[in-house]
Structures are given as C-alpha cells and as structure tokens.
Amino acid sequence: MFYEIRRYQARPGRREEWVRYMEDVVIPFQAAGGMDITASFIDEESPDGYLWIRRFEDEAQREELYAAVYESDRWRNEIRPAVMELLIPEATVVTRVVPTPVSALR
C-alpha cells in the first residue's frame, strides 16, 4: 500500500474556485471510478496552494485506476480542460509515500 501526495498551485486568486471544482467535480468523479481519496487540504502558508492524498493498494491498482479515470472521455473533454484553466500544471509536485508501521494511515 502507498499514498500519493499531490501538491498543486492554483492560478493566482483562483484557489477558492479550484477547491469548489475539486470537491464538486474531480473528487466525486475519481471516487466513482474507484480512487480512494484520503484527504484534501488548502495550504495555510501559500494563498494558492492545495494538496490532496490518494491511496493505492499497489502499482497494478494505481495503473488500472489511472487508466479508468484519465483515459475516459469525460476526463479528457470536460474535466481536464477545466483543471488546466484553474491550475499551474508545471508547479505540480507528486510524492509517493509508504506509511510507517505506527502510522494511523497504515
């Protein structure tokens, strides 16, 4: 099991709009496709920063879920264009982490 911590930078002044879009569209869409969305955060120290965490059982599951979500017509034609409008894509940082034995996320 591992987690993805995804850090995004919203376009200046658009974080609130981004959070609404994530909570109303992206998270429900991905969860319906089988993604385990563990958490969603705004960055207190960055006015445009946003983080979220997804959980995967293994690499095979991650690949399967990525294909189901990111290769879908809805993602390609509707959601991705909106995401690109709200975020600075080149500022995205994705970190894969494995919880330690005493972690509450184990």
Side-chain angles (χ1 to χ4, degrees):
M1 167 195 18
F2 65 91
Y3 291 83
E4 267 186 355
I5 300 173
R6 303 181 67 88
R7 177 165 176 55
Y8 296 161
Q9 194 71 23
R11 295 195 185 272
R14 299 192 75 183
R15 182 172 70 184
E16 187 175 319
E17 184 180 358
W18 167 250
V19 171
R20 277 194 313 271
Y21 193 72
M22 275 295 289
E23 292 182 347
D24 293 346
V25 178
V26 176
I27 290 173
F29 173 74
Q30 290 199 8
M35 291 278 189
D36 182 349
I37 314 303
T38 305
S40 174
F41 306 94
I42 57 169
D43 185 338
E44 269 192 343
E45 297 178 359
S46 170
D48 298 313
Y50 174 83
L51 292 93
W52 62 312
I53 302 173
R54 297 189 298 197
R55 178 180 180 268
F56 300 96
E57 289 302 318
D58 53 33
E59 181 60 21
Q61 183 199 38
R62 187 196 70 79
E63 289 175 6
E64 177 184 319
L65 293 173
Y66 263 51
V69 168
Y70 297 121
E71 294 176 18
S72 71
D73 287 340
R74 183 168 181 218
W75 182 266
R76 288 179 177 171
N77 299 323
E78 175 192 333
I79 298 173
R80 186 176 191 283
V83 167
M84 294 298 109
E85 181 182 319
L86 293 167
L87 295 181
I88 301 171
E90 60 273 12
T92 298
V93 176
V94 179
T95 305
R96 286 175 56 156
V97 296
V98 175
T100 63
V102 299
S103 173
L105 296 178
R106 191 135 186 85

